[in-house]
Amino acid sequence: MKLQRMNRRALTLGALAVSGALALTACGSDDNGGSTSSNSSSSTNASSIKCDNAKGQLLADGSSAQKNAIDAWVKAFSQACGVQINYKGGGSGAGVTSFNQGQLAFAGSDSALKPEEVTASKQVCSGGQGIDLPMVGGPIALGYNVPGVDNLVLDAPTLAKIFDSKITKWNDAAIKKLNPSATLPDLKIQAFHRSDESGTTDNFTKYLIATTAANWKYSGGKAWQAKGGQSAAGSAGVAQQVKATSGAIGYFELSYVGDGVKAVSIDTGASAPVAPSTDSATKDIADAKVVGTGSDLSLQLNYNTKAEGAYPITLVTYEIVCDKGNKASTLPATKAFLTYIASEDGQKVLSTIDYAPIPDAIITKVRATIAGLS
């Protein structure tokens, strides 16, 4: 999707999240928040969205990688149900922190909750805990801006060396070997990473650890650990820097590629390099395993896939919510919104804006879990 289109949509959607003080709507919070008139529990005339007495305002934050998807969903849901949802998209780390501080109705994270984060969530989820609901899939694209190079191929060892400042020129021998027909310039590589704690960083570095540990000596996590390079906040910030900087490369989800930013194809060892797309990401996500326990549905992705047409640098964004102990005044709206985005219609939206729907076997479990939230 083009960045210009994304920005126009963001401006339109931003209007939906304004007016009045927003409720601090965490599970177990004492803030009652604002409210509007009750909505009908029946489907709206314009869509199949069921409002189920949803009302008021919801505050959410987290993964910037899913923000374009959340914006599209919020627009449809708000028009149908009259509920205002303000999703900040301040990064996965910020979302989890705010959720566990009792400030949010739900959070978005590209990484599943860690054990200590689950423990912390019990303080705001009365009688329950925070759980991970996989909702948005998609490839982490390596976007680049190299004049005269339209079809760049890289592999895991080369990417690791680029982002660890070991390969510093675009005409390096390792890059030439992977792109024998390309005219690679004698141009400095400007590698951009996230400045904020990010699940996108976590997933990208998990890929490097899984595939080329000898070239990536860092432990991984939401915070960037390698030395050198440049940084920007959020997926949008990294994408904007790549677009503006000749010789730049950075990582962000596919919806930020376009308008001067091209995407790297990955040499996985399959018969042909794989470009990021909704289809190639879905092929990888379909191989994921549910490793969460109870109502938690966290997944284990296969970063080391060599399957034909499967893109290996893939993330799944979770919506984090209390399984039990959600705030009574905001539970109807939270539950109705999550029900919509997990529905067949909600998931269909994803492929139109460069995200990958969650495979049927997984999203069916998500729907059943949402129905049981209390």
Side-chain angles (χ1 to χ4, degrees):
M1 180 185 62
K2 300 290 186 184
L3 282 173
Q4 290 176 336
R5 289 167 50 203
M6 178 197 73
N7 291 335
R8 285 197 299 267
R9 184 172 66 243
L11 289 172
T12 300
L13 294 168
L16 294 171
V18 298
S19 83
L22 290 167
L24 297 183
T25 51
C27 319
S29 168
D30 291 330
D31 190 321
N32 291 326
S35 65
T36 61
S37 59
S38 178
N39 294 282
S40 169
S41 62
S42 62
S43 299
T44 65
N45 293 329
S47 70
S48 60
I49 298 173
K50 295 184 177 180
C51 300
D52 291 329
N53 295 313
K55 60 183 178 180
Q57 301 172 339
L58 300 180
L59 181 61
D61 193 7
S63 166
S64 67
Q66 73 165 2
K67 190 173 189 307
N68 293 337
I70 290 287
D71 285 349
W73 282 329
V74 165
K75 180 179 181 180
F77 184 79
S78 295
Q79 288 177 342
C81 300
V83 175
Q84 292 183 345
I85 302 175
N86 183 355
Y87 183 84
K88 292 183 179 180
S92 297
V96 172
T97 297
S98 294
F99 179 82
N100 281 341
Q101 290 175 344
Q103 298 177 1
L104 307 176
F106 66 92
S109 177
D110 307 324
S111 300
L113 291 168
K114 297 177 181 178
E116 61 269 25
E117 292 170 336
V118 173
T119 298
S121 73
K122 294 178 181 180
Q123 300 299 311
V124 293
C125 300
S126 179
Q129 66 180 47
I131 57 172
D132 302 287
L133 301 177
M135 203 71 74
V136 182
I140 300 173
L142 277 300
Y144 70 96
N145 177 1
V146 182
V149 181
D150 294 327
N151 298 293
L152 185 67
V153 175
L154 296 174
D155 60 10
T158 307
L159 280 168
K161 292 173 185 176
I162 286 172
F163 280 91
D164 200 21
S165 303
K166 301 292 177 58
I167 292 178
T168 59
K169 290 289 190 75
W170 280 110
N171 61 351
D172 186 273
I175 302 176
K176 284 183 176 180
K177 185 177 180 180
L178 291 164
N179 299 273
S181 62
T183 302
L184 297 166
D186 182 15
L187 179 65
K188 181 180 179 180
I189 295 174
Q190 307 280 357
F192 284 88
H193 58 265
R194 289 282 289 273
S195 60
D196 52 324
E197 288 199 357
S198 162
T200 310
T201 294
D202 190 18
N203 282 274
F204 177 49
T205 55
K206 279 179 180 176
Y207 161 75
L208 296 177
I209 292 167
T211 55
T212 185
N215 295 298
W216 194 258
K217 301 292 188 178
Y218 307 98
S219 61
K222 293 177 183 177
W224 184 258
Q225 297 172 322
K227 307 301 181 183
Q230 301 182 63
S231 65
S235 292
V238 174
Q240 288 166 1
Q241 289 298 322
V242 172
K243 178 184 176 182
T245 307
S246 180
I249 185 171
Y251 56 91
F252 34 78
E253 83 276 12
L254 184 61
S255 63
Y256 288 96
V257 171
D259 194 24
V261 178
K262 302 179 179 69
V264 171
S265 293
I266 303 298
D267 183 347
T268 65
S271 64
V274 184
S277 70
T278 57
D279 288 341
S280 63
T282 297
K283 287 182 180 179
D284 187 55
I285 296 170
D287 194 34
K289 298 177 181 179
V290 175
V291 294
T293 58
S295 53
D296 184 85
L297 296 174
S298 56
L299 303 176
Q300 183 179 72
L301 298 172
N302 182 7
Y303 298 102
N304 207 20
T305 182
K306 292 178 175 57
E308 297 295 328
Y311 185 79
I313 318 176
T314 302
L315 62 77
V316 168
T317 290
Y318 302 95
E319 309 313 329
I320 295 169
V321 67
C322 297
D323 57 354
K324 299 176 182 178
N326 288 279
K327 185 172 167 53
S329 62
T330 56
L331 176 61
T334 301
K335 198 168 178 178
F337 180 66
L338 294 178
T339 297
Y340 160 58
I341 68 178
S343 71
E344 183 176 352
D345 285 347
Q347 289 289 300
K348 281 180 180 179
V349 171
L350 295 177
S351 59
T352 69
I353 50 176
D354 294 327
Y355 291 96
I358 301 299
D360 287 343
I362 299 172
I363 201 66
T364 298
K365 295 178 181 178
V366 172
R367 292 167 186 156
T369 301
I370 293 169
L373 297 179
S374 62

